[in-house]
Amino acid sequence: MLAVLPEFTSRLEVLLALFAFGYLAGSIPFGILISKILGLGDLRKVGSGNIGATNVLRTGNKIAALLTLLLDFSKGICAVLIARQISAEDAAQVSAFGAMVGHCFPIWLKFRGGKGVATFLGVMIALSFLVGITCCFVWLLVALARRMSSLASLICAVSAPIATVFLGQPNNIILITSLAFIIFLRHRQNIYRIIKGVEPKIGKAG
């Protein structure tokens, strides 16, 4: 029988501390900070009001959007790699989950954060480079074909657990499925707009 969880070897207090670390790292609102530093105004009053790279792009500043994307992506990578260095794979998964929760529900913004896609992809890359690259490719392919970041994100989220199993990482499946669920939860309004045919394209207001 395939293991669907890593072996739990870390002490409970270590797991709790690394969840807190992941949450705090994930909750840094880079989109808002970069927008303020570059004089782009309050990101929460632009476009969809989201704090992620897609909404930063709606300000018209591609550099700001790229920086937001890279920094949000790095939160996921750092959460996994630092926790893995400190403890073990169970701690890496707990920290990764914390980073996603922190990005999507940051305490500093009254739990109204981003949609978690860049951080999710960072987590995937750090957990398994091959699975992560596959998910990035799926996102890019759908985004180029349909010009909708939300649709690309949703299909990427669906592909992640499938790739995790088929590429030989079954002990990540529960974590990845949970993170994919968070992405769907954060995209519920986008799903409605996609169904209605009114979801804005990449770079457009909305």
Side-chain angles (χ1 to χ4, degrees):
M1 184 176 179
L2 293 176
V4 295
L5 285 171
E7 182 181 1
F8 281 86
T9 59
S10 302
R11 299 191 308 274
L12 178 60
E13 59 268 30
V14 172
L15 294 177
L16 292 174
L18 288 172
F19 174 83
F21 162 73
Y23 179 87
L24 292 174
S27 68
I28 301 172
F30 284 119
I32 289 178
L33 296 175
I34 291 170
S35 295
K36 286 186 177 180
I37 291 170
L38 296 181
L40 303 176
D42 188 346
L43 188 60
R44 290 166 293 182
K45 297 179 181 178
V46 174
S48 66
N50 190 260
I51 66 170
T54 299
N55 202 44
V56 175
L57 186 61
R58 294 185 177 114
T59 67
N61 193 313
K62 295 180 180 179
I63 298 298
L66 178 61
L67 287 173
T68 301
L69 175 67
L70 293 176
L71 288 170
D72 284 347
F73 182 80
S74 72
K75 293 191 294 191
I77 292 178
C78 290
V80 173
L81 296 185
I82 292 174
R84 186 182 282 154
Q85 184 67 28
I86 291 173
S87 189
E89 199 62 26
D90 56 342
Q93 290 202 17
V94 167
S95 183
F97 186 74
M100 275 289 289
V101 173
H103 179 82
C104 295
F105 309 102
I107 190 171
W108 330 112
L109 301 177
K110 299 180 180 179
F111 305 104
R112 298 173 183 173
K115 296 183 178 178
V117 180
T119 302
F120 173 76
L121 290 173
V123 164
M124 296 300 301
I125 287 283
L127 287 174
S128 169
F129 184 76
L130 185 57
V131 174
I133 286 295
T134 300
C135 291
C136 290
F137 176 77
V138 169
W139 188 95
L140 183 61
L141 186 64
V142 177
L144 290 173
R146 299 303 302 272
R147 304 296 298 171
M148 278 191 284
S149 177
S150 56
L151 181 62
S153 301
L154 292 165
I155 293 177
C156 171
V158 170
S159 73
I162 298 171
T164 297
V165 172
F166 278 91
L167 294 175
Q169 301 291 326
N171 62 342
N172 292 332
I173 189 64
I174 291 180
L175 171 67
I176 300 307
T177 301
S178 300
L179 300 187
F181 174 78
I182 291 175
I183 288 178
F184 268 77
L185 179 66
R186 298 296 294 157
H187 281 81
R188 58 192 183 277
Q189 292 181 349
N190 302 88
I191 294 170
Y192 174 78
R193 289 195 296 267
I194 290 170
I195 293 171
K196 298 287 287 185
V198 295
E199 177 71 351
K201 304 289 185 178
I202 293 174
K204 301 295 183 181

